[in-house]
Amino acid sequence: MHDTNAPRRYGLSKSRITSFEQCPKKLWLSVHRPEFAQHDEGAEMRFAGGNEVGEIACALHPQGVMVEAEPDLTAALAATTRLLGEGHPGPIFEATFQHEGVLVRVDVLERTESNAWRAAEVKSSTGVKDYHRGDLATQVWALREAGLELESAAIRHIDKTFELTRAGDYAGLFTDVDLLDELEDTIAGRAALVEQARAVLAGEEPELEMGDHCSSPFECEFAAYCGRDLPSGPKWPVTVLPRGGGKKWQTKGIENLLDLSPDDLSGTNAQILAATRDGVPFHNAEGARREIAGWGWPRAWLDFETIAPAVPRWIGTRPYQQIPFQFSLHLEQEDGTITHHEFLSCDGSDPRRTCAEALVEMIPSDATIVAYYAPFERRVLRDLAGWEPDLAESLLAKAEATVDLLPVTRNNWYHRDQRGSWSIKAVLPTIAPELDYATLEVKDGGNAQMAWHEAADQACSDARRGALSDALRAYCARDTWAMVTIARALENRT
Ligand code: SF4
């Protein structure tokens, strides 16, 4: 007879065990109070990117068989048992196993020459991350307990040196790192770990303080819930000091920036303290004018938007290489005349050639190009030069002619509302609050990438693509106009 008083035995999966390893409370909340989770906007795009990587990993083995979880995972377990029983030669994708209530699905299960098995976990990263090891150990533990003879267990991650040379040919996109030997101790500890996770799930909500583990290896989706009763802390914490400058003071028990004296700090940090304490921005107009004086005319204020797909889409591109699909250009003459120019490709076609041509056509050869964090724009220009040899001379010259507004801003302006950041989105509201990004539909680079992916999808309607194009144009134009506005304010120029 079923014992209704027996404690409920919670099912576990590889991802639940990963959650437990990050934080027992995270596991407990994800099972008992999932409604408290707050997922960030980029999660969907990362998920789609991961799916594409998984699909390519499978497509590389056309003789493989997929274990579908239809109608449910019980069917996947049965299908896996059947395939193994029939002596399937592999590869088997999403082979599903269960041991002690822990369910695992193996991305790729391949036969080895000695008729044993190799398990591979496909990752969209370009290397092995620490949390991958725990993931893989859980897989191996469950597979071995299910009676599978494993010869190797690998993280199959993206090889960042791969270059697409033929459309659709992704042989070589992945590289395997076999971790089986290295993980034996971790694997041996899995049974105990699973019991601990289960004990947590059967108990009350764990009492755990927030800490560094809340953002490593993942930003925890329960941070708002866990932090709801925390004291709000000082208005101006020492952590606004850039480049980790506040950590040193925290170790001495100082949390409030205003508890420091001017003698404690020097350089930029001293300017930050003074601007924060007095509520008066640090502004060295003379210094800004001196730094900008060397920039020639006309000035081409330039900003690229890019996508960086894990799976290269176009010939000659590598994983995660930045591909420009848009730029905005404010062209300023010495007499103050400004014209706006732009380029946008979001129909899913290869944007590189048309982008390169537009740059050559729209930016005068004698212009000084101004960017905000210029290494990025220079790199995009140089990559375009590599892809378009007939335009390379002009594009490389433009990369050489690119100067950077960011260090000028950092050296000569600080408003306390920047809270230690000189990103354009932090600086602009302190100089021109009317140019708020919050009023735009596309608000940042991540939004722009999501908009491109939606517009480039062949299922996107013309009307929606048009609306996304308008939003992208408005956003990118705001970025370059923001640069013009910031530079003029730094120099006290109207
Ligand atoms: S926010 Fe931190 S303490 Fe709270 S569940 Fe997440 S990892 Fe655990």
Side-chain angles (χ1 to χ4, degrees):
M1 201 175 123
H2 181 63
D3 178 3
T4 51
N5 292 321
R8 181 174 163 191
R9 187 179 161 87
Y10 289 93
L12 288 168
S13 62
K14 188 185 65 173
S15 60
R16 281 187 174 178
I17 291 172
T18 303
S19 288
F20 175 72
E21 288 197 281
Q22 179 173 359
C23 171
K25 187 173 179 178
K26 180 179 177 184
L27 170 68
W28 192 93
L29 288 168
S30 67
V31 171
H32 296 291
R33 305 310 299 262
E35 68 275 18
F36 291 156
Q38 289 184 7
H39 296 281
D40 70 281
E41 273 190 332
E44 204 175 307
M45 194 169 74
R46 288 196 297 276
F47 186 67
N51 276 350
E52 189 185 8
V53 169
E55 284 166 15
I56 297 286
C58 294
L60 285 170
H61 303 280
Q63 73 280 25
V65 59
M66 172 65 76
V67 173
E68 304 287 355
E70 294 294 336
D72 53 26
L73 287 163
T74 306
L77 285 164
T80 304
T81 304
R82 180 176 51 75
L83 287 167
L84 294 175
E86 290 169 354
H88 193 280
I92 303 174
F93 308 124
E94 301 294 338
T96 308
F97 300 87
Q98 185 162 232
H99 176 68
E100 297 278 325
V102 179
L103 197 100
V104 298
R105 307 196 78 201
V106 185
D107 289 337
V108 186
L109 202 55
E110 297 163 330
R111 287 267 187 202
T112 63
E113 282 178 11
S114 57
N115 211 28
W117 292 96
R118 172 188 302 114
E121 274 299 286
V122 177
K123 301 293 181 188
S124 54
S125 60
T126 56
V128 176
K129 299 191 174 178
D130 263 354
Y131 74 89
H132 294 163
R133 297 171 201 277
D135 257 18
L136 195 60
T138 305
Q139 303 276 45
V140 173
W141 171 73
L143 264 61
R144 278 182 176 163
E145 295 294 337
L148 213 71
E149 189 191 339
L150 276 178
E151 198 171 290
S152 92
I155 294 297
R156 181 163 294 174
H157 66 74
I158 286 184
D159 180 352
K160 64 181 174 204
T161 65
F162 171 83
E163 183 177 312
L164 188 66
T165 53
R166 221 152 44 99
D169 183 357
Y170 291 104
L173 175 62
F174 296 98
T175 186
D176 280 9
V177 180
D178 188 349
L179 296 174
L180 189 54
D181 289 345
E182 181 190 323
L183 287 177
E184 286 300 352
D185 286 351
T186 313
I187 296 162
R190 287 288 111 170
L193 188 87
V194 164
E195 279 318 305
Q196 290 164 15
R198 213 165 251 138
V200 164
L201 282 176
E204 297 295 312
E205 179 180 332
E207 287 187 18
L208 275 168
E209 287 190 9
M210 293 183 77
D212 290 346
H213 65 283
C214 300
S215 54
S216 176
F218 308 105
E219 288 295 336
C220 180
E221 60 271 29
F222 296 104
Y225 168 75
C226 290
R228 68 198 183 286
D229 294 328
L230 288 180
S232 56
K235 185 175 180 190
W236 306 107
V238 283
T239 49
V240 303
L241 294 176
R243 301 189 183 99
K247 283 264 177 204
K248 167 182 145 192
W249 297 104
Q250 282 182 308
T251 59
K252 294 179 181 176
I254 293 176
E255 293 290 340
N256 189 345
L257 178 67
L258 299 182
D259 287 343
L260 296 177
S261 88
D263 295 339
D264 292 327
L265 301 171
S266 60
T268 304
N269 286 350
Q271 288 158 3
I272 289 175
L273 174 60
T276 306
R277 186 192 55 216
D278 304 338
V280 178
F282 163 75
H283 184 193
N284 180 1
E286 181 55 37
R289 277 195 289 272
R290 209 170 33 242
E291 290 187 50
I292 291 176
W295 299 354
W297 299 97
R299 290 177 185 164
W301 304 82
L302 178 68
D303 181 63
F304 286 116
E305 296 306 322
T306 59
I307 50 162
V311 177
R313 287 175 171 245
W314 299 297
I315 303 294
T317 63
R318 295 188 303 278
Y320 295 110
Q321 193 168 15
Q322 304 282 349
I323 315 289
F325 65 85
Q326 179 179 21
F327 68 77
S328 169
L329 169 71
H330 275 94
L331 193 60
E332 182 182 23
Q333 308 296 334
E334 192 164 7
D335 64 5
T337 313
I338 291 195
T339 50
H340 183 243
H341 311 264
E342 62 188 352
F343 164 82
L344 173 63
S345 165
C346 62
D347 60 2
S349 62
D350 184 347
R352 292 172 296 168
R353 178 74 197 176
T354 43
C355 180
E357 287 175 344
L359 286 162
V360 170
E361 183 191 320
M362 293 178 190
I363 302 178
S365 56
D366 58 345
T368 294
I369 297 173
V370 190
Y372 206 86
Y373 187 62
F376 179 77
E377 266 68 24
R378 286 192 202 110
R379 192 175 72 212
V380 171
L381 287 163
R382 287 182 184 130
D383 282 351
L384 283 170
W387 290 315
E388 310 299 337
D390 59 318
L391 303 176
E393 192 179 335
S394 171
L395 292 165
L396 289 173
K398 292 185 192 325
E400 285 299 306
T402 302
V403 297
D404 201 341
L405 180 62
L406 172 58
V408 181
T409 313
R410 193 182 278 132
N411 293 340
N412 298 293
W413 175 264
Y414 183 77
H415 185 294
R416 64 183 181 181
D417 288 349
Q418 290 169 228
R419 302 185 78 80
S421 167
W422 279 268
S423 78
I424 203 162
K425 271 118 191 133
V427 173
L428 188 65
T430 70
I431 284 176
E434 70 281 6
L435 297 179
D436 190 356
Y437 283 85
T439 59
L440 300 176
E441 187 181 339
V442 171
K443 297 175 177 50
D444 57 32
N447 281 177
Q449 291 185 345
M450 283 193 279
W452 184 90
H453 281 284
E454 185 183 346
D457 189 328
Q458 295 314 303
C460 186
S461 70
D462 288 346
R464 178 63 183 151
R465 187 173 293 125
L468 289 164
S469 298
D470 290 346
L472 282 164
R473 287 179 205 279
Y475 165 68
C476 202
R478 177 67 53 90
D479 264 350
T480 47
W481 184 244
M483 279 196 278
V484 174
T485 306
I486 289 170
R488 287 180 171 181
L490 290 181
E491 291 185 286
N492 273 345
R493 202 157 54 93
T494 51

